[in-house]
Amino acid sequence: MQSLYQILMLLLDVVWFFIIAHVIMSWLINFQVLNLRQPIVAQIWDALNRILEPMYSRLRRVLPPMGGIDLAPLVALIGIYIIRIVLTNNAGWFYSF
């Protein structure tokens, strides 16, 4: 069961990395440092959107409209951190099997 705990933590780390990469990339695109006409940039952007949009769309339905400010990535990061805390505090349950 220890391996299940480690796999869950790894998956949370990967999702955390994808969200951070998506946020940074969105800033770079908005400040015109990156250009979506470049094929590799467009592919990475499309892949990150396809991975994260299902999670973001669920969060956006719950969050109130903020007038152009998207808080879905922030709420997702907080949610991932909360899940990590819960898993870490209950790690003994994973080790008992």
Side-chain angles (χ1 to χ4, degrees):
M1 281 302 246
Q2 179 181 2
S3 59
L4 179 62
Y5 171 77
Q6 292 173 345
I7 290 170
L8 289 172
M9 295 300 276
L10 175 67
L11 289 175
L12 290 173
D13 287 342
V14 169
V15 173
W16 180 277
F17 172 76
F18 282 163
I19 293 172
I20 295 295
H22 187 255
V23 168
I24 291 172
M25 196 168 177
S26 72
W27 290 342
L28 293 176
I29 289 170
N30 285 331
F31 291 125
Q32 298 176 354
V33 175
L34 293 178
N35 189 349
L36 285 176
R37 284 179 258 147
Q38 297 171 336
I40 189 71
V41 173
Q43 288 176 350
I44 294 170
W45 181 248
D46 185 51
L48 286 173
N49 279 328
R50 287 177 185 238
I51 291 169
L52 296 173
E53 194 57 38
M55 179 175 47
Y56 287 167
S57 64
R58 289 185 184 107
L59 291 173
R60 287 182 187 125
R61 278 185 275 174
V62 175
L63 294 172
M66 297 295 290
I69 298 174
D70 187 14
L71 294 179
L74 176 65
V75 172
L77 288 174
I78 292 170
I80 290 171
Y81 197 72
I82 289 170
I83 294 170
R84 289 181 58 88
I85 290 171
V86 169
L87 285 174
T88 303
N89 288 340
N90 295 308
W93 183 81
F94 289 99
Y95 295 121
S96 65
F97 288 103

